[in-house]
Amino acid sequence: MSGNTFGKLFSVTTFGESHGPALGAIVDGCPPGLPLCEADLQRDLDRRRPGSSRHTTQRQEPDQVKILSGVFEGKTTGTSIGLLIENTDQRSKDYSKIKDQFRPAHADYTYHHKYGHRDYRGGGRSSARETAVRVAAGAIAKQYLATHGVQIRGYMSQLGPIKIDFSTWEAVGQNAFFCPDPAKVPELEAYMDQLRRDQDSVGAEITVVADGVPVGLGEPVFDRLDADLAHGLMSINAVKGVEIGAGFDCIAQRGSEHRDEMTPEGFLSNHAGGVLGGISSGQPIVARLALKPTSSITTPGRSIDVHGQAVEVVTKGRHDPCVGIRATPIAEAMMAITLLDHWLRQRGQNGAVSVDTPRLSQC
Amino acid sequence: MSGNTFGKLFSVTTFGESHGPALGAIVDGCPPGLPLCEADLQRDLDRRRPGSSRHTTQRQEPDQVKILSGVFEGKTTGTSIGLLIENTDQRSKDYSKIKDQFRPAHADYTYHHKYGHRDYRGGGRSSARETAVRVAAGAIAKQYLATHGVQIRGYMSQLGPIKIDFSTWEAVGQNAFFCPDPAKVPELEAYMDQLRRDQDSVGAEITVVADGVPVGLGEPVFDRLDADLAHGLMSINAVKGVEIGAGFDCIAQRGSEHRDEMTPEGFLSNHAGGVLGGISSGQPIVARLALKPTSSITTPGRSIDVHGQAVEVVTKGRHDPCVGIRATPIAEAMMAITLLDHWLRQRGQNGAVSVDTPRLSQC
Amino acid sequence: MSGNTFGKLFSVTTFGESHGPALGAIVDGCPPGLPLCEADLQRDLDRRRPGSSRHTTQRQEPDQVKILSGVFEGKTTGTSIGLLIENTDQRSKDYSKIKDQFRPAHADYTYHHKYGHRDYRGGGRSSARETAVRVAAGAIAKQYLATHGVQIRGYMSQLGPIKIDFSTWEAVGQNAFFCPDPAKVPELEAYMDQLRRDQDSVGAEITVVADGVPVGLGEPVFDRLDADLAHGLMSINAVKGVEIGAGFDCIAQRGSEHRDEMTPEGFLSNHAGGVLGGISSGQPIVARLALKPTSSITTPGRSIDVHGQAVEVVTKGRHDPCVGIRATPIAEAMMAITLLDHWLRQRGQNGAVSVDTPRLSQC
Amino acid sequence: MSGNTFGKLFSVTTFGESHGPALGAIVDGCPPGLPLCEADLQRDLDRRRPGSSRHTTQRQEPDQVKILSGVFEGKTTGTSIGLLIENTDQRSKDYSKIKDQFRPAHADYTYHHKYGHRDYRGGGRSSARETAVRVAAGAIAKQYLATHGVQIRGYMSQLGPIKIDFSTWEAVGQNAFFCPDPAKVPELEAYMDQLRRDQDSVGAEITVVADGVPVGLGEPVFDRLDADLAHGLMSINAVKGVEIGAGFDCIAQRGSEHRDEMTPEGFLSNHAGGVLGGISSGQPIVARLALKPTSSITTPGRSIDVHGQAVEVVTKGRHDPCVGIRATPIAEAMMAITLLDHWLRQRGQNGAVSVDTPRLSQC
């Protein structure tokens, strides 16, 4: 219930540092009877895994997850599920130099002042390595939702200045960028190759979509579905913005344009992104998140050390030049966790999730 | 702890419908010994109050708040604070016509399917009228934070297509739009007058800034300060997007540009919006939120009724043509509640809030 | 979520002081569609009401409850329910004398040191008057549970040294003591009359029973049904002990005696009190609570004042000589709130409450 | 936040089954800077460890705990602490016979009906083996509290019919029963030896005391210190009753006897058990818990199987004939976790824990 738990009925609590022995999570509240094995989690972990292309960190981590409890004879028991991922490729020596320095734009400075001391190796708890177990936990939520017709998928919709239009879901899995448009891939590769030569990093935008979500998920007024989604997505490392549906574009929209009209056959548009009044409408849930460029770059930057003295920081180590590239499975995981939590809450208070509500056609 | 509570150590729970007898809140966890009276809450309530200009709803509500507990001899006692605002100007008859209709883009449809029946008068619980008590509760948080040097202020940064640059805080309080640039006010008035003639509505963007926030607020990995802020701000009616600092602009930024370098004299920029690794950095916290155009407009729209039949909906009643105009105090309230909750959580776990940390100069 | 909220899916948050203008509660998570009106709550409030016999406090409070939200056209809407009870018979002057004194065994001392200052009038927030709104909130939970075949009833099982055997439920409502054995009532009356003459107070034991609870409520390992019941019952003013089933008697029992054997026709005993492994077994839930004697008596007692000086305290005011007498409806309320919360949690995680599980015969 | 988490600011979430590969916990909210190593946890684990005398289960488990995160260079970092204990001595074959049977008084029946299927090996999640990680987590809380002058110790105060008076704390550690009176040990040994010959089990009472607790811990009205203690202690396997201070004895006490009078030198008694109005008074916190006799005995008992057919159950396997014998460290752990959680909550809301409040002399 402190800061390392997310969710109320379906909840995920995590631990683990970048260079500690292991990362782990406890998934609580998973409905019993769900078929589940480690391979079900490994698929998404492999999608997020470092070192799988030249465009991501070269740290080699198999990210093999173990299920330590909560599953018996191939099915969840309804009790808490323990997950463990061992770290195998730490090179902590890389970090000794920056032990007393605050990398600009990094959590070094705030962790130091919040806690008084910190595990400086690879960012410790502030490292995006922590998201591995979110992906494992999210895969459990996805598994449950999939058996109820809900599919959660994401893609990269912008890399640095390059906007990417959605083409097909198949394309997303066929390149290192989660890019839905195969024609754009060479441009992305060229951009990333130049970025590495520039010793710089860049931001990205990810779009996540949940299809098949029934009407009725979301608990106003504070635990609106979109508010909890914003919480979950903004809690991902490097995320600086979250939009639902039309998002910031709705500022300049007129009501007559923004409102999604309905006919007996269905909604005529989806500017709402599948959420009305904080409750799912049966349309696809559409969220976008903006990820900032990695702060860990080898281009020297001005900063200070723990004594307040000016220093020039050069961050060695093996870093992602664009953390957005591996962020798609993480965003999917947080959306899945949020949706399953609200599924269970809806079922708890209202007796059932109205999966049979006549679903309006979806835009 | 269900959906109508926000915050963990400093928490706000609300009730009330648009056309019920009253709205209220229970504010729990307020530190004892804080000087507080009803006038302290009334100031912000008056800033949000309907009917104060021709550009907002003409419903007349005094929004007089009563403190029913938790304050004794002018100071908070540390026990829960009961707040009550009576509704005085309901015209429920306005709504009888849409009783069985779903207004397009309104919560009618989702409330109906989630709960099975709903208080249709004025949107019931889904009405933005609910935010009045948030403003009252937020004023308590503001009062505490102010005594510790934290100031929370917001302004309108865009109305429909009109972008508004920040000029001065003084200007914000001197017009009906919370517009920080006096020179823009005539343009905003003309735009709104035309909008009313068009029987339409429009979106807006609000920017909220917290100055004086010490280093160390935020509880990674899930209850990062920015994640909880996103939760709180996205829970405000009509909000479809939330940004921190550079927000969506960081997508196209390079790391060498985005990172806020530091010198012994301070940060050289604030693209981070005052949050690094989910923890406040001592710089100003800067958030922006996108509000959609009101769905309740008198321009006819296609929809369905509760029987699934096609209907043409015309929403009568007294509505804001731009809900963003009155949203600034609400956004300030949610930021204040979030910050005070994290202030107390930081003090709980870490023993103290480091208000004396050498604060770097702020951009 | 701070200390004034109880329950996770069905939650109750309260405010109000003994001598403030009003007490209130927000009931969140109540399932929609439940028929509910103020009279449904008033019945239990009247059972707890002060001043109804010479054996309780002579403070006259009508304890009229108002429902301010969450009910529309006679049914709950699923949104938060605001409850309000106005205080009408405060005599704050009675307390001016003890303003700077700590009554022995009273919360004066601890409130003073925890919060720094306190509303000393009638005990302020520490007064058992706060339990009025718990009773109102509990009546909502009872109403829901009753429609699902669950009945929650309590009785006084001991007053001071007088043990009271259970006779009939009908008897409970026919005397001022919630005494299930009509033959004992004269003895209780005589005891209480003497107690008043002695200017003293005495403890009591209340037994609460829930019949018709289905198998499956309770969320191990920490939110076991009995653990949450213990939490709720121990949170009632003056309670110093809680037992489930055989309770402290099980210390001296052998396993062969304690274990409730089963046959196809049902359980053969109920030493477990209806809870096995923290989960309801389908047998009646049986809990007992021990209430201490009121600390506010007119017999002088040694104490200190806020300056640490010795004082002799005589507590004037109108107090219950045995708080246990009015505690039965409060204990029922806390059991009802706990059970409904777990009902909803069970339904949330496990999809349904197994009301149709072949119920074993009940002892 | 589901049922496997305890605590709000300092929280413990656990996983693990009796015969799974491992048990574990995530401890969240531990203050940073606390010296901590695995040996600090091992001490209490060794006190709870099975197989250390002939009076407890003969299962051999080293219960070696690993700290996987949250500690760096010998001190806690303030981030979540991952704990892992591997199971090494499972004999699951022992249980194949009772796979389809419900042992009387065991959680078999309720787990089956709640979750639909269950890990029947050794009781799965319902096994008291789960409490090993509570002891590890509690040792962290104890470590923090000890550095602030709070000492938490427990002892067996009754075994079956044998009442045990407190003699010395030193004695407690010098026998297998946590018995504070050395003279009673031979009687306990003889009783247990006979019990084993009888193939039966028996209940016990444990008393836990916290010395040095400052005034002010506890969050009325629901999260009173005693209410949260009751929650934590009742959540321990086999506990059927919890008392604070005089407990059930207060029923027959007069107010003039029960009230703990104060003089400038201190309290004159401690019937309150260190809690007044739900807030610690600075006196020792005294709690007692009643543990039922183990349900797993080899004396045949009547029951039913999953098909509703009558069966005679004989529970093989290696079980404790008195679970109370190893319960003392578990009770200490739950008290420590509860107290630290309230310590942090008090510090959060009220700015400080008043460790310097002139402590009254303690009875």
Side-chain angles (χ1 to χ4, degrees):
Chain A
M1 191 115 107
S2 296
N4 292 285
T5 297
F6 186 77
K8 292 196 171 170
L9 269 199
F10 178 79
S11 66
V12 177
T13 306
T14 75
F15 73 83
E17 280 94 36
S18 176
H19 287 60
L23 307 156
I26 300 178
V27 176
D28 200 4
C30 183
L34 178 71
L36 194 75
C37 66
E38 289 164 356
D40 295 323
L41 314 189
Q42 202 61 47
R43 269 192 303 278
D44 272 343
L45 280 166
D46 289 347
R47 294 170 70 217
R48 195 212 74 102
R49 193 157 56 80
S52 53
S53 90
R54 72 178 185 276
H55 306 299
T56 60
T57 171
Q58 293 307 300
R59 179 169 171 175
Q60 296 297 326
E61 285 289 353
D63 279 354
Q64 288 284 344
V65 67
K66 285 184 204 154
I67 297 176
L68 297 177
S69 70
V71 177
F72 183 61
E73 298 182 338
K75 289 187 298 182
T76 58
T77 59
T79 62
S80 51
I81 301 172
L83 301 176
L84 196 75
I85 296 174
E86 288 176 44
N87 285 324
T88 64
D89 183 24
Q90 309 102 311
R91 293 195 200 153
S92 303
K93 267 183 290 182
D94 289 351
Y95 295 95
S96 56
K97 201 165 175 192
I98 55 159
K99 178 181 168 178
D100 292 329
Q101 299 184 346
F102 302 129
R103 285 166 288 175
H106 200 278
D108 293 342
Y109 180 76
T110 51
Y111 269 66
H112 176 83
H113 282 297
K114 180 179 185 67
Y115 298 117
H117 81 131
R118 69 184 205 281
D119 179 352
Y120 52 80
R121 301 165 306 161
R125 183 69 177 150
S126 75
S127 166
R129 178 134 190 75
E130 173 267 334
T131 57
V133 288
R134 299 195 193 194
V135 169
I140 298 174
K142 274 184 174 180
Q143 181 101 336
Y144 183 87
L145 292 168
T147 65
H148 291 76
V150 179
Q151 193 171 16
I152 295 163
R153 293 173 294 194
Y155 60 92
M156 176 175 278
S157 42
Q158 187 170 344
L159 183 147
I162 309 168
K163 287 181 188 287
I164 304 167
D165 288 330
F166 182 76
S167 175
T168 71
W169 286 117
E170 288 65 35
V172 172
Q174 291 164 358
N175 61 78
F177 300 98
F178 297 85
C179 170
D181 180 359
K184 281 277 185 181
V185 174
E187 187 180 347
L188 300 177
E189 290 188 325
Y191 184 87
M192 289 303 296
D193 288 338
Q194 182 59 44
L195 188 70
R196 272 198 310 283
R197 283 191 291 271
D198 295 346
Q199 303 195 314
D200 215 333
S201 61
V202 80
E205 183 189 81
I206 303 297
T207 299
V208 205
V209 180
D211 286 294
V213 176
V215 188
L217 307 191
E219 302 296 327
V221 295
F222 293 113
D223 291 350
R224 285 168 145 87
L225 182 58
D226 39 3
D228 270 1
L229 273 174
H231 187 154
L233 296 172
M234 193 71 98
S235 80
I236 298 171
N237 304 47
V239 173
K240 301 301 286 183
V242 175
E243 291 185 326
I244 307 291
F248 279 84
D249 284 349
C250 76
I251 297 168
Q253 287 178 329
R254 291 271 176 124
S256 53
E257 171 193 5
H258 176 85
R259 64 175 169 181
D260 302 311
E261 292 181 295
M262 287 183 271
T263 71
E265 287 71 43
F267 287 99
L268 300 176
S269 55
N270 189 12
H271 293 114
V275 185
L276 290 172
I279 299 169
S280 63
S281 67
Q283 294 218 91
I285 311 287
V286 182
R288 273 178 303 283
L289 40 161
L291 291 108
K292 70 172 185 178
T294 322
S295 53
S296 298
I297 54 178
T298 48
T299 302
R302 280 170 291 177
S303 189
I304 58 173
D305 63 17
V306 297
H307 311 295
Q309 302 300 310
V311 291
E312 191 188 70
V313 174
V314 175
T315 305
K316 293 282 169 62
R318 297 158 297 171
H319 297 287
D320 285 284
C322 173
V323 285
I325 292 179
R326 297 199 287 133
T328 295
I330 309 166
E332 292 170 3
M334 293 311 299
M335 185 179 266
I337 292 166
T338 306
L339 286 174
L340 180 50
D341 187 34
H342 276 279
W343 187 288
L344 303 187
R345 292 173 73 177
Q346 163 68 0
R347 193 159 71 180
Q349 193 196 353
N350 296 289
V353 174
S354 56
V355 285
D356 300 327
T357 294
R359 201 75 55 79
L360 296 177
S361 70
Q362 303 176 349
C363 303
Chain B
M1 192 115 105
S2 296
N4 293 287
T5 296
F6 187 77
K8 291 195 171 169
L9 269 199
F10 178 79
S11 67
V12 177
T13 305
T14 74
F15 73 84
E17 279 94 36
S18 175
H19 286 58
L23 306 156
I26 300 178
V27 176
D28 199 4
C30 183
L34 177 72
L36 194 75
C37 66
E38 288 165 355
D40 295 323
L41 314 189
Q42 202 60 47
R43 270 191 302 277
D44 272 343
L45 279 166
D46 289 347
R47 293 170 69 218
R48 194 212 75 103
R49 194 157 56 80
S52 53
S53 90
R54 72 178 185 276
H55 306 298
T56 59
T57 171
Q58 293 308 298
R59 179 169 170 174
Q60 295 297 326
E61 286 290 354
D63 279 354
Q64 288 283 345
V65 67
K66 285 183 205 155
I67 297 177
L68 296 178
S69 69
V71 177
F72 183 62
E73 299 181 341
K75 288 186 299 182
T76 57
T77 58
T79 62
S80 51
I81 301 171
L83 301 176
L84 196 75
I85 296 174
E86 288 175 46
N87 285 324
T88 63
D89 183 23
Q90 306 106 309
R91 293 193 201 156
S92 304
K93 268 184 288 182
D94 288 351
Y95 296 93
S96 56
K97 202 167 174 194
I98 55 158
K99 176 182 170 178
D100 292 328
Q101 299 184 344
F102 303 129
R103 286 165 286 175
H106 199 279
D108 293 342
Y109 180 76
T110 52
Y111 268 67
H112 176 84
H113 282 296
K114 180 179 183 69
Y115 300 117
H117 81 131
R118 67 184 206 280
D119 180 350
Y120 52 80
R121 301 164 304 162
R125 183 68 177 151
S126 74
S127 166
R129 176 133 190 79
E130 174 267 335
T131 58
V133 286
R134 298 195 193 194
V135 168
I140 298 175
K142 274 185 176 180
Q143 181 101 336
Y144 184 86
L145 292 168
T147 65
H148 291 77
V150 179
Q151 192 171 16
I152 294 163
R153 295 172 293 194
Y155 61 92
M156 177 175 279
S157 41
Q158 188 171 345
L159 183 146
I162 307 167
K163 287 181 188 287
I164 305 165
D165 289 328
F166 182 78
S167 175
T168 70
W169 286 116
E170 288 65 35
V172 172
Q174 291 163 0
N175 60 78
F177 300 97
F178 296 87
C179 170
D181 179 1
K184 281 276 185 181
V185 173
E187 188 180 347
L188 300 177
E189 290 187 324
Y191 184 87
M192 290 302 297
D193 288 338
Q194 182 60 44
L195 188 70
R196 269 198 311 285
R197 284 190 291 271
D198 295 345
Q199 303 195 312
D200 216 334
S201 60
V202 81
E205 185 190 80
I206 304 297
T207 298
V208 204
V209 180
D211 286 295
V213 176
V215 188
L217 307 192
E219 302 296 326
V221 295
F222 294 113
D223 291 350
R224 286 169 145 87
L225 181 58
D226 39 4
D228 270 0
L229 273 174
H231 187 154
L233 295 173
M234 192 72 98
S235 80
I236 298 171
N237 305 48
V239 172
K240 302 300 285 183
V242 174
E243 291 184 326
I244 307 292
F248 279 84
D249 284 348
C250 76
I251 297 168
Q253 286 179 331
R254 291 271 177 125
S256 52
E257 172 193 4
H258 176 85
R259 63 175 171 181
D260 302 312
E261 293 182 294
M262 288 182 272
T263 71
E265 288 71 42
F267 286 98
L268 300 176
S269 55
N270 189 11
H271 293 114
V275 184
L276 289 172
I279 299 167
S280 63
S281 67
Q283 294 216 91
I285 311 287
V286 182
R288 273 178 304 282
L289 41 161
L291 292 107
K292 69 173 185 178
T294 322
S295 55
S296 299
I297 56 179
T298 48
T299 302
R302 281 170 292 176
S303 190
I304 58 174
D305 63 17
V306 296
H307 311 296
Q309 301 300 311
V311 292
E312 192 187 71
V313 175
V314 174
T315 306
K316 294 282 170 63
R318 299 158 295 173
H319 298 286
D320 285 285
C322 173
V323 284
I325 292 179
R326 298 199 285 134
T328 294
I330 309 167
E332 293 170 3
M334 292 312 299
M335 186 180 265
I337 293 167
T338 306
L339 285 173
L340 180 50
D341 186 35
H342 277 279
W343 186 288
L344 304 187
R345 291 173 74 178
Q346 162 69 0
R347 192 158 71 179
Q349 191 196 355
N350 296 290
V353 174
S354 55
V355 285
D356 299 327
T357 295
R359 200 77 55 79
L360 296 177
S361 70
Q362 304 177 348
C363 303
Chain C
M1 195 114 107
S2 296
N4 292 287
T5 297
F6 186 77
K8 291 196 171 170
L9 270 198
F10 179 78
S11 66
V12 177
T13 305
T14 74
F15 73 84
E17 279 95 35
S18 175
H19 287 59
L23 307 155
I26 300 178
V27 176
D28 200 3
C30 183
L34 178 72
L36 194 75
C37 66
E38 288 164 356
D40 295 322
L41 315 189
Q42 201 60 48
R43 268 192 304 277
D44 272 343
L45 280 166
D46 289 347
R47 294 169 70 218
R48 195 212 74 103
R49 195 157 55 81
S52 52
S53 90
R54 72 179 184 275
H55 306 298
T56 60
T57 171
Q58 294 308 298
R59 178 169 171 175
Q60 295 296 326
E61 285 289 352
D63 280 353
Q64 288 284 345
V65 67
K66 285 183 204 155
I67 297 177
L68 297 178
S69 68
V71 177
F72 183 62
E73 298 181 340
K75 288 186 299 182
T76 57
T77 58
T79 62
S80 51
I81 302 171
L83 302 176
L84 196 75
I85 296 174
E86 288 176 45
N87 286 325
T88 63
D89 182 24
Q90 308 104 308
R91 295 197 199 150
S92 304
K93 266 184 289 184
D94 288 351
Y95 295 94
S96 57
K97 199 164 177 193
I98 56 159
K99 176 182 169 177
D100 292 327
Q101 299 184 345
F102 303 128
R103 285 165 288 175
H106 200 278
D108 293 342
Y109 180 75
T110 52
Y111 269 67
H112 176 84
H113 282 296
K114 180 179 184 68
Y115 300 117
H117 81 130
R118 69 184 205 281
D119 179 351
Y120 51 81
R121 301 164 307 160
R125 183 68 178 150
S126 75
S127 166
R129 179 136 188 75
E130 173 268 334
T131 58
V133 287
R134 299 194 192 195
V135 169
I140 298 175
K142 275 184 174 181
Q143 181 101 336
Y144 183 87
L145 292 168
T147 65
H148 292 77
V150 179
Q151 192 171 16
I152 295 164
R153 294 173 293 195
Y155 60 92
M156 176 175 278
S157 41
Q158 188 170 342
L159 183 147
I162 309 167
K163 287 182 188 287
I164 305 166
D165 289 328
F166 181 77
S167 176
T168 71
W169 286 116
E170 288 64 37
V172 173
Q174 292 164 358
N175 60 78
F177 300 97
F178 296 85
C179 170
D181 179 0
K184 281 277 185 181
V185 173
E187 186 179 349
L188 300 176
E189 290 188 324
Y191 184 87
M192 289 301 298
D193 288 339
Q194 183 58 44
L195 188 70
R196 270 198 310 283
R197 284 191 290 272
D198 296 345
Q199 302 194 316
D200 215 334
S201 60
V202 80
E205 184 190 81
I206 303 298
T207 299
V208 204
V209 180
D211 286 296
V213 176
V215 188
L217 307 192
E219 302 295 326
V221 296
F222 292 113
D223 290 352
R224 284 167 146 88
L225 181 58
D226 39 4
D228 270 0
L229 273 174
H231 186 153
L233 296 173
M234 193 71 97
S235 79
I236 298 171
N237 305 47
V239 173
K240 302 301 285 184
V242 175
E243 290 184 327
I244 307 292
F248 279 84
D249 284 348
C250 75
I251 297 169
Q253 287 178 330
R254 291 270 176 125
S256 53
E257 173 193 5
H258 176 85
R259 64 176 170 180
D260 301 312
E261 292 182 296
M262 287 182 271
T263 70
E265 287 70 44
F267 287 99
L268 300 175
S269 55
N270 189 12
H271 293 115
V275 185
L276 289 172
I279 299 168
S280 62
S281 68
Q283 294 217 92
I285 310 288
V286 182
R288 272 178 304 282
L289 41 161
L291 291 108
K292 68 172 186 179
T294 322
S295 54
S296 299
I297 55 180
T298 48
T299 302
R302 283 171 289 177
S303 190
I304 59 174
D305 63 16
V306 296
H307 311 295
Q309 301 301 310
V311 292
E312 192 187 70
V313 174
V314 175
T315 306
K316 295 280 171 62
R318 301 157 295 173
H319 298 285
D320 285 284
C322 172
V323 285
I325 292 179
R326 297 199 286 133
T328 295
I330 310 167
E332 293 169 3
M334 292 312 297
M335 185 179 268
I337 292 167
T338 305
L339 285 174
L340 180 50
D341 187 33
H342 278 278
W343 186 288
L344 303 187
R345 292 173 73 177
Q346 163 68 0
R347 193 159 71 178
Q349 192 196 353
N350 296 289
V353 174
S354 56
V355 285
D356 300 327
T357 295
R359 201 74 55 80
L360 296 177
S361 70
Q362 303 178 350
C363 302
Chain D
M1 193 115 106
S2 296
N4 292 287
T5 296
F6 186 77
K8 291 197 171 169
L9 269 199
F10 178 79
S11 67
V12 177
T13 306
T14 74
F15 73 84
E17 278 95 35
S18 175
H19 286 58
L23 307 156
I26 300 178
V27 176
D28 200 5
C30 183
L34 177 71
L36 195 75
C37 65
E38 288 165 356
D40 294 323
L41 315 189
Q42 202 61 47
R43 269 191 303 276
D44 272 343
L45 279 166
D46 289 347
R47 294 170 69 219
R48 195 213 74 103
R49 194 157 56 80
S52 52
S53 90
R54 71 179 186 276
H55 307 298
T56 59
T57 172
Q58 293 309 299
R59 178 170 171 173
Q60 296 297 326
E61 286 289 355
D63 279 355
Q64 288 284 345
V65 67
K66 286 183 203 154
I67 297 177
L68 296 178
S69 70
V71 177
F72 184 62
E73 299 181 339
K75 289 187 298 184
T76 57
T77 58
T79 62
S80 51
I81 301 172
L83 301 176
L84 196 75
I85 296 174
E86 289 176 44
N87 285 324
T88 63
D89 183 24
Q90 309 105 309
R91 294 194 200 156
S92 304
K93 267 183 288 184
D94 288 352
Y95 295 94
S96 55
K97 202 166 173 191
I98 54 159
K99 176 182 169 178
D100 292 328
Q101 299 183 345
F102 302 129
R103 284 165 287 177
H106 199 280
D108 293 342
Y109 179 76
T110 51
Y111 268 67
H112 176 85
H113 282 296
K114 181 180 183 68
Y115 300 117
H117 80 132
R118 68 184 206 280
D119 179 351
Y120 52 80
R121 301 164 306 162
R125 182 68 177 151
S126 74
S127 166
R129 178 134 189 77
E130 174 267 334
T131 57
V133 288
R134 298 194 192 194
V135 169
I140 299 175
K142 275 185 175 179
Q143 181 101 335
Y144 183 87
L145 292 168
T147 65
H148 291 76
V150 179
Q151 191 171 17
I152 296 163
R153 293 173 295 193
Y155 60 92
M156 177 175 277
S157 41
Q158 187 170 345
L159 183 147
I162 308 167
K163 288 183 188 286
I164 306 166
D165 288 330
F166 182 78
S167 176
T168 71
W169 287 116
E170 287 65 35
V172 172
Q174 292 163 359
N175 61 78
F177 301 97
F178 297 86
C179 170
D181 180 359
K184 282 276 185 182
V185 173
E187 187 180 348
L188 300 177
E189 290 188 325
Y191 185 86
M192 289 303 296
D193 288 338
Q194 183 58 45
L195 187 70
R196 270 199 310 283
R197 283 189 291 271
D198 296 345
Q199 303 194 312
D200 216 333
S201 60
V202 80
E205 184 189 81
I206 303 297
T207 299
V208 205
V209 181
D211 286 295
V213 176
V215 188
L217 307 192
E219 302 296 326
V221 294
F222 293 112
D223 291 350
R224 285 168 145 87
L225 182 59
D226 39 4
D228 270 0
L229 272 174
H231 186 154
L233 296 172
M234 193 70 98
S235 80
I236 298 172
N237 304 49
V239 172
K240 301 301 285 183
V242 175
E243 291 184 326
I244 307 292
F248 280 83
D249 284 348
C250 75
I251 297 169
Q253 287 178 332
R254 291 272 177 126
S256 52
E257 172 193 6
H258 176 85
R259 63 174 171 182
D260 302 312
E261 292 182 295
M262 288 182 273
T263 71
E265 287 71 41
F267 287 98
L268 300 175
S269 55
N270 189 12
H271 292 115
V275 184
L276 289 172
I279 298 168
S280 63
S281 67
Q283 294 217 91
I285 311 288
V286 181
R288 272 177 305 282
L289 41 161
L291 291 108
K292 69 172 185 178
T294 322
S295 54
S296 299
I297 55 178
T298 48
T299 302
R302 280 170 293 175
S303 190
I304 57 172
D305 63 16
V306 296
H307 312 296
Q309 302 299 311
V311 292
E312 192 187 72
V313 175
V314 175
T315 305
K316 295 280 169 62
R318 300 158 295 174
H319 298 286
D320 285 283
C322 173
V323 286
I325 291 179
R326 298 199 285 134
T328 295
I330 310 168
E332 293 171 3
M334 292 312 299
M335 185 178 266
I337 292 167
T338 306
L339 285 173
L340 180 50
D341 187 34
H342 277 279
W343 187 288
L344 304 188
R345 291 173 73 176
Q346 163 68 1
R347 191 159 71 179
Q349 192 196 354
N350 296 290
V353 175
S354 56
V355 286
D356 300 327
T357 295
R359 200 77 54 81
L360 296 176
S361 70
Q362 306 177 348
C363 303

